[in-house]
Amino acid sequence: MVSDLIVANTPSKRPEWHRTLTRYARSSNSRAVWQLANTLLPYGALWALMLATIRAGYPYWTTLLVAPIAAGLLVRTFIIFHDCCHGSFVASRRMNRVIGYITGFLTFTPFDEWQWAHLTHHASVNDLDRRGPGDITMMTVDEYLAAPWRERLAYRLFRNPFVIFTLGPIYQFYIRLRWTSPG
């Protein structure tokens, strides 16, 4: 069984899709510049348009018509920020940091703190021997059964999709990241 896995994972035995996708495993500076241009320039233009509608005295609903498009571009900006935290957006480590700081500023997310917590999360996620920062609390069955009922209730509530996908991000981005950790 293990020998089958080793043989299947050798470069000559990998499936065709793996060989096709390997070209996307490396940074492309030209694609990165294009992504920055088609994200940040329209985002800035939409901000200017929204400010112009407010200054011109148009009803707020006209400004709000543009806001969902700007919000989508801000999500793309965060994705660029995320890739910079991994050091994979451009080939240069220094440029990843520069772009990461700029996009972090736009998304109100401190680059150094997010990068440290996020990379720590990737290094230890679901590893019960290395639980730490950036992780969602994980318990073994024995730990869960031994926990007091309030802790078990909190553990279950936290995993509710509304909490983890709505309240969690609101807490993370509007409250926790406003006060960064010392160091």
Side-chain angles (χ1 to χ4, degrees):
M1 180 76 170
V2 173
S3 61
D4 292 341
L5 233 108
I6 292 169
V7 170
N9 208 20
T10 58
S12 62
K13 299 290 184 181
R14 289 186 180 140
E16 179 61 32
W17 63 264
H18 188 276
R19 287 189 293 277
T20 303
L21 294 178
T22 51
R23 69 183 177 146
Y24 299 107
R26 288 180 292 287
S27 302
S28 166
N29 289 344
S30 60
R31 276 186 280 172
V33 168
W34 172 242
Q35 289 296 315
L36 287 169
N38 72 22
T39 302
L40 299 182
L41 295 176
Y43 181 68
L46 290 173
W47 261 99
L49 177 63
M50 289 189 292
L51 286 172
T53 61
I54 291 169
R55 286 189 176 151
Y58 289 108
Y60 283 119
W61 66 266
T62 58
T63 305
L64 292 176
L65 286 175
V66 179
I69 301 166
L73 290 168
L74 190 60
V75 170
R76 283 187 65 173
T77 302
F78 185 83
I79 292 167
I80 292 169
F81 167 82
H82 171 269
D83 290 348
C84 288
C85 286
H86 281 283
S88 63
F89 187 64
V90 292
S92 163
R93 179 182 167 132
R94 184 169 186 260
M95 283 309 296
N96 273 308
R97 291 189 66 76
V98 169
I99 296 166
Y101 278 113
I102 293 167
T103 54
F105 176 78
L106 293 172
T107 59
F108 299 104
T109 310
F111 180 80
D112 289 322
E113 183 167 349
W114 178 273
Q115 182 183 42
W116 179 81
H118 189 65
L119 294 180
T120 303
H121 159 75
H122 276 290
S124 64
V125 69
N126 292 331
D127 184 344
L128 295 174
D129 294 327
R130 294 176 49 206
R131 298 176 243 201
D135 283 342
I136 295 171
T137 302
M138 182 72 64
M139 296 171 125
T140 65
V141 173
D142 291 339
E143 289 170 337
Y144 178 81
L145 294 174
W149 72 269
R150 285 188 177 131
E151 193 175 330
R152 290 195 312 262
L153 176 64
Y155 188 80
R156 296 291 297 256
L157 286 175
F158 187 80
R159 280 155 175 69
N160 179 291
F162 176 74
V163 173
I164 206 162
F165 295 119
T166 305
L167 298 180
I170 288 171
Y171 166 74
Q172 179 75 9
F173 289 99
Y174 290 109
I175 299 170
R176 198 191 80 62
L177 288 175
R178 301 299 63 106
W179 293 275
T180 60
S181 304

